[in-house]
Amino acid sequence: MNTREEAEQKGIPLAETKQNMLRRCMRHDYSRRGTYLITIVVANRQPLLGNLICDDNPRIILSTLGKHIFDEEIKKIHQHYPAIEIWKTCIMPDHIHMILRINDTLPDNAHLGVVIRGFKAGCTKAYRALTVNDGSLFEEGYNDRILIEDGQLDRWKKYISDNPRRLALKRRNPDLFKVRYKTRILNRDCDVTGNIFLMDIPDKMAVIVHRSDSDKEFAAKKEQWLACGARGGVLVSAAISPREKIVLREAMNRKYPIILLRENGFPPLYKPSGDAFDACAQGLLLQISPWPYHSARKPITRAQCLFLNQMAEEIAAGNPRR
């Protein structure tokens, strides 16, 4: 069931599927039980909700508005909708993360979009009262992620708890997180982000695993690749095959420099996630895409795979920054 018509036939509320809502799963009923990660962004990314303290223990000191939202408005969600529990909250200077659980079907045709709309309205009312401002506190819409996979909840709890530290790293190393569009690589305009100076390290190896490689051949190549990283060399790969991913994961765990080639470019406000974030902050990661960003979900083609592997070999063979 992927179309609006099919969803309507099932009686699933669709009022929240407007274009200004950033992520909606058409085939999901947002009035029923489920666990969700919600992200709401302050208008124009203004840091109205708090300030980051950048010391050995990065943390957010909430503003008067941020504290009011944390102490009052978030609690009202459960007060108005007893079936909803707030499992985790992180208020950043310019956005809010919440993990919430709908334990039972919401009453009176309510659904997640209605809940978040009411929460945002309450926050905006407080914002106007505290600042004598008649504008809206938040950007239109919100982002939701349905947490259904094993381990997903724990990973996202850890992620939002780690938000202050990651923000501190970005502020200390802004150039490492900047996306540079139309950067010349191999006589081609590419989108890049990360440590561009990894391109200048002469010792590089392309990590490419062929289907015909035996287990013994793969083990020997893997040993050579990891030895390159151990001596300060750079591993270059599109990480397409499962075995290539294994090598890149181990290299990242060992904090070896990596140049990662991507089929897709970088969306607005892009930042790497998970271990890649820390690798980027440490100057150990450069990501390159020879193609601009697209929002379509489509598998990588064989022609693209071959192109990226050839690009990895050419980058590893010399210094192609020109």
Side-chain angles (χ1 to χ4, degrees):
M1 181 176 61
N2 294 313
T3 68
R4 186 178 185 88
E5 290 75 15
E6 290 173 311
E8 288 173 341
Q9 290 172 6
K10 293 289 186 179
I12 297 175
L14 296 179
E16 57 179 342
T17 60
K18 299 185 299 181
Q19 290 301 315
N20 61 11
M21 295 299 187
L22 302 181
R23 181 191 293 268
R24 295 291 87 78
C25 180
M26 183 71 73
R27 60 186 177 274
H28 184 77
D29 186 345
Y30 284 93
S31 69
R32 299 188 182 276
R33 293 200 301 177
T35 306
Y36 306 91
L37 169 67
I38 305 297
T39 302
I40 304 169
V41 178
V42 175
N44 300 315
R45 287 275 176 175
Q46 298 179 81
L48 301 177
L49 307 182
N51 295 300
L52 174 68
I53 303 300
C54 290
D55 55 19
D56 292 338
N57 179 33
R59 60 200 181 278
I60 305 297
I61 302 298
L62 296 179
S63 65
T64 301
L65 175 60
K67 192 172 188 304
H68 172 84
I69 291 173
F70 185 82
D71 291 339
E72 302 293 336
E73 301 303 327
I74 290 175
K75 293 179 181 178
K76 289 179 183 178
I77 295 176
H78 178 69
Q79 292 170 5
H80 289 296
Y81 300 96
I84 297 179
E85 293 182 76
I86 307 299
W87 283 0
K88 188 78 175 177
T89 302
C90 177
I91 299 181
M92 298 296 287
D94 62 357
H95 65 278
I96 298 173
H97 291 301
M98 287 188 292
I99 295 178
L100 60 83
R101 171 70 182 175
I102 300 177
N103 289 313
D104 202 355
T105 302
L106 297 177
D108 302 325
N109 296 318
H111 53 82
L112 187 62
V114 173
V115 174
I116 300 304
R117 187 158 57 245
F119 168 74
K120 292 173 65 178
C123 294
T124 291
K125 182 178 179 180
Y127 166 60
R128 292 173 178 175
L130 289 169
T131 64
V132 195
N133 190 307
D134 60 359
S136 177
L137 173 60
F138 298 111
E139 291 183 356
E140 291 188 26
Y142 63 96
N143 179 290
D144 75 79
R145 183 183 294 269
I146 306 169
L147 306 183
I148 56 177
E149 299 174 5
D150 291 342
Q152 203 174 17
L153 177 61
D154 289 338
R155 289 196 300 272
W156 280 106
K157 281 183 176 180
K158 180 179 178 181
Y159 171 84
I160 65 176
S161 295
D162 197 37
N163 254 2
R165 184 188 69 88
R166 292 198 311 275
L167 179 58
L169 288 174
K170 283 185 68 178
R171 290 191 177 177
R172 290 170 187 163
N173 308 283
D175 288 344
L176 294 177
F177 292 92
K178 181 180 179 181
V179 176
R180 297 172 173 84
Y181 299 99
K182 295 186 177 181
T183 298
R184 206 69 178 164
I185 305 289
L186 295 172
N187 290 317
R188 184 186 181 99
D189 286 338
C190 298
D191 295 347
V192 306
T193 184
N195 186 2
I196 192 67
F197 294 104
L198 294 183
M199 297 287 286
D200 299 332
I201 296 177
D203 187 4
K204 300 192 214 42
M205 292 188 72
V207 177
I208 300 172
V209 180
H210 302 287
R211 292 181 181 178
S212 59
D213 289 346
S214 66
D215 290 346
K216 183 176 181 180
E217 289 171 326
F218 169 67
K221 289 181 178 180
K222 180 182 176 183
E223 184 177 353
Q224 292 177 348
W225 290 325
L226 294 177
C228 173
R231 63 178 179 259
V234 181
L235 302 184
V236 187
S237 181
I240 297 168
S241 74
R243 283 179 165 182
E244 290 166 2
K245 289 181 171 68
I246 288 172
V247 175
L248 269 291
R249 170 55 56 191
E250 187 163 344
M252 188 169 289
N253 289 341
R254 296 187 184 189
K255 301 187 183 305
Y256 296 162
I258 294 170
I259 295 176
L260 179 66
L261 306 181
R262 295 167 46 118
E263 171 272 330
N264 199 359
F266 307 96
L269 303 177
Y270 170 80
K271 63 178 181 292
S273 60
D275 293 339
F277 186 98
D278 288 324
C280 189
Q282 296 161 10
L284 297 173
L285 178 64
L286 172 65
Q287 297 186 75
I288 301 172
S289 175
W291 301 291
Y293 171 72
H294 62 79
S295 59
R297 293 187 176 183
K298 54 185 180 181
I300 188 170
T301 66
R302 175 170 172 75
Q304 288 174 318
C305 292
L306 294 174
F307 182 91
L308 291 176
N309 283 341
Q310 180 182 350
M311 193 173 179
E313 291 176 334
E314 292 182 13
I315 288 174
N319 178 14
R321 274 216 286 165
R322 55 183 179 269

